[in-house]
Amino acid sequence: RIPQHLPPFDEVGAQIRERLVQERAKTNARASADTLHATLKDQQAAGVRFEEAVLLTGVTPMSVAFTRTGPIGPIGRTPEVNTAAFNIPLGTLTAVMEVTRGFVIVRPEERIPADEAALAQSNNAIREETLKARSAARVQEWLTAVRTRAKLQRVDEAKGN
């Protein structure tokens, strides 16, 4: 959509400048993240341990435990990062991914299997909840069907008022 008139630069100059600064900062951050990713991959390919390679770059890695679908500590809920982290082999770097507050590279170190005992305990509760919800839905469907077939009259209509 094209505006009817272009506002004077004095009115929008600050907004344009701010947007340009943000775009350039994002571009620079992406370039830095890509460079870091390439450096880490090269170092690992050369046989340098990940911890040593990170020390050489001057970046401080952050260790965060998270689940397949839950939020990830400082970056919050980012399904793309969760999926990428669980779909690559342990010790492998993901590609650079954009998140709300910048860019991340994930290197999964451990996968803890699901707690089967806790799942078995909650299974009965989940089954009961599901059955209650289904039966409530069927009762509602039945009531709706009965109401549509019934020939209901209001009391005041039947008396002729």
Side-chain angles (χ1 to χ4, degrees), residues 10 13 23-24 44-45 53 58 71 90 100-102 105 114 120 123 142 145 152:
D10 295 343
E23 287 178 12
R24 286 186 180 166
Q44 282 187 315
L90 295 177
T100 308
R101 295 175 47 199
I105 301 169
N123 231 0
W142 176 78
L152 300 176

Side-chain angles (χ1 to χ4, degrees), residues 13 22 35 56 60 63 65 96 98 105 108 112 115 136 154-155 161:
Q22 287 177 353
T35 302
L56 293 173
T60 305
S63 180
V96 175
E98 185 174 352
I105 301 169
I112 301 170
D115 186 359
R154 288 180 30 187
V155 175
N161 287 343

Side-chain angles (χ1 to χ4, degrees), residues 8-26:
F9 183 75
D10 295 343
E11 291 179 16
V12 294
Q15 293 172 348
I16 293 171
R17 193 173 299 110
E18 179 65 28
R19 187 179 297 169
L20 185 60
V21 167
Q22 287 177 353
E23 287 178 12
R24 286 186 180 166
K26 185 176 177 179

Side-chain angles (χ1 to χ4, degrees), residues 134-149:
R134 283 184 183 172
S135 64
R138 286 194 177 160
V139 166
Q140 190 61 42
E141 288 173 10
W142 176 78
L143 280 174
T144 303
V146 167
R147 285 183 185 134
T148 56
R149 287 181 287 167

